[in-house]
Amino acid sequence: MNKIISPTNLSFVKETIGFISGNLKFSNFKQGLWLIFGSHVINRNEAGSDLDIIAIDDLFKENKRFVLNFKNVPIHFTAINM
């Protein structure tokens, strides 16, 4: 995976997932799937770039979209019921 995403961006993505899980109380994923896409994954992020995340799990009762901010990066998080 490190050939696609830089170690710095991978670390940021992992921190962001922890931030989302903790703040939105999604820490009990059982078979959830996190999809991360956009400029951070292909190392094309610049100042002002956002991070796009989709999470799919039975934990979500309904589909929801959140716009969060983590370390001055806009996070577009979509929760989808499996």
Side-chain angles (χ1 to χ4, degrees):
M1 180 185 275
N2 288 342
K3 292 181 182 180
I4 297 171
I5 186 171
S6 72
T8 301
N9 284 356
L10 180 60
S11 177
F12 178 72
V13 166
K14 288 179 179 181
E15 289 178 43
T16 302
I17 290 171
F19 167 77
I20 291 169
S21 295
N23 283 315
L24 299 180
K25 299 182 171 82
F26 297 153
S27 58
N28 57 347
F29 278 93
K30 296 197 172 34
Q31 296 178 348
L33 174 67
W34 290 78
L35 303 168
I36 315 297
F37 58 98
S39 60
H40 279 81
V41 176
I42 59 172
N43 302 313
R44 302 252 173 145
N45 53 302
E46 301 174 353
S49 292
D50 66 344
L51 181 62
D52 303 296
I53 301 175
I54 296 174
I56 304 168
D57 195 285
D58 285 337
L59 172 69
F60 306 121
K61 302 299 180 214
E62 58 185 327
N63 300 340
K64 286 191 176 186
R65 181 167 166 84
F66 301 89
V67 179
L68 309 164
N69 193 306
F70 180 65
K71 295 188 174 183
N72 294 318
V73 174
I75 309 298
H76 295 248
F77 177 74
T78 304
I80 299 174
N81 179 278
M82 189 175 304

